[in-house]
Amino acid sequence: MSKFILALDQGTSSSRSIVFDAQGRIVALAQREFRQIYPQPGWVEHDPKEIWATQLATAREALAKAGLKAADIASIGITNQRETTLVWNRRTGEPVYNAIVWQDRRAEPTCAALRAQGLEALFRRKTGLIVDAYFSGTKLKWILDEVPGARAAAEAGELAFGTVDSWLMWQLTGGAVHATDVSNASRTLMLDVHTNRWDDELLKILAVPREVLPEVRPSSHVYGHARAELLGASLPIGGVAGDQQSALFGQACFKAGLAKNTYGTGCFMLMHTGTRFQTSANGLITTSAAQPHVMAPPRRDAPAPRGGATPASGGRAPTWTPEFALEGSVFIGGAVVQWLRDGLRAIEASGAVQQLAQSVPDSGGVMFVPAFTGLGAPYWKPEARGAIVGLTRGSTVAHIARAALESIAFQSAALLQAMSRDAVASGGAPVAELRVDGGACVNDLLMQFQADLLGIPVVRPQVIETTALGAAYLAGLSCGVWRGLDELSAQWQVERRFMPTLARERAQELMQRWEHAVAQATLEAAP
């Protein structure tokens, strides 16, 4: 039996493909960037055809680098930038408009109108989300309203909507599959996450015809088969999840209370809450976790079953148990290092920041709040702007660099503290350790400072490409490469565990100083 998995990792700035073996090790990787399109301020688009072309090219390149043929691949897994919205013609496969990217803010007037009508509580209760232009539903409404002929064609059943995963599956199968997984569907403002079904009341509010929607399926499920002419053999598509839920799965966070933080351009922290739908009192959102196909109600000792599932569309009941996570996002994480390089010109390459920061023993009292685009969770202060405070005559660029690096940890600590408060309020325990991934997690100084602030271990796995690994795990479960979650948990390996060394009193003092700096960053914008 084939024991290799091909993971397609379609991101915001590049498409990547990674081949994993049965031990979850990387065999080969290929990556290609694609254009970012900015038609006007606040608008961000991608060319759907370019997304597909770069993704297919990297899949072929990864197989070639691995020295493998398509017949050696057991299954394909897909993970993707979430919320990005596409609409295409079912007959021709042609997009009716560019993909509207998750960062795009054009739908904010629609969201403001929904909030003014007092509808946010309804959306929050059914979807776990706040009403924001970040999510797919209002982007889809914009396309149907603004693209000539789109609404009439949609109501006639001629158009298909999907997030990037749906678009890739449509292309891979030659239009035979129009589907999405529950984790991607949960980011649309249109899915009732309690039932894993599209919600007619929300669809009516957003004026979205049901005819455009994909079928909703479990994250680990045989969706269909890729056309043989694409890669050299017809391969099953066995796993799909949005990027952050996929990373949570790749970190083996399968149980309530386990949490991960992805350190990228921004930071995304998710904590698994099990089957409990828990709304946050601390500025976080509730989202669906990646969900293997487990018949409801599952036995606690039952392994994850293999095979297909009944799609949750129309009036049909779902055949798997909904699982959830609390999520918080930091807008500026690793991007602050890019600002040091490109804006302040303090370093020539991003990799030089650790050496510069370590040239001083601490930040010398400098605090850096990188609110270049406002502050995300748990603050939700869109009016905040970047601030460097605590400067003295003795402050140097090294102190600023160290403060910039530490700002990533401060923001993440504020997120985890919010998660722990929510966990305790619901009768659970505070987060006991934080699993980390993403490009910036290789920075030892940052990871140690993160552990010091949190007072809990920060754990870096041997494979930090956990977003793609999660998609591979989901695909491997559906085709029998792995038998269940216990096997995956045993396979997850620690590369380094950063233990806290700072006295808790000192850590609390630092967090108080951080909160004071955050307050200063919002002063000028206050009314």
Side-chain angles (χ1 to χ4, degrees), residues 202-226:
L202 301 181
L203 294 178
K204 183 177 180 180
I205 292 169
L206 293 171
V208 171
R210 180 178 282 274
E211 289 80 5
V212 303
L213 300 176
E215 291 186 327
V216 183
R217 298 176 180 173
S219 308
S220 181
H221 171 81
V222 179
Y223 287 77
H225 289 75

Side-chain angles (χ1 to χ4, degrees), residues 5 75 220 238 471-483:
I5 304 289
S75 187
S220 181
Y473 279 166
L474 291 164
L477 283 173
S478 71
C479 69
V481 171
W482 297 292
R483 292 184 297 275

Side-chain angles (χ1 to χ4, degrees), residues 80 161-167 169 177-186 188 191 198 213-219 221 223 240-242 311-312 320:
N80 56 284
F161 151 76
T163 41
V164 170
D165 57 307
S166 300
W167 172 246
M169 281 191 280
V177 173
H178 182 214
T180 188
D181 97 294
V182 64
S183 71
N184 277 295
S186 74
T188 64
L191 187 82
W198 300 118
L213 300 176
E215 291 186 327
V216 183
R217 298 176 180 173
S219 308
H221 171 81
Y223 287 77
V240 177
W320 73 96

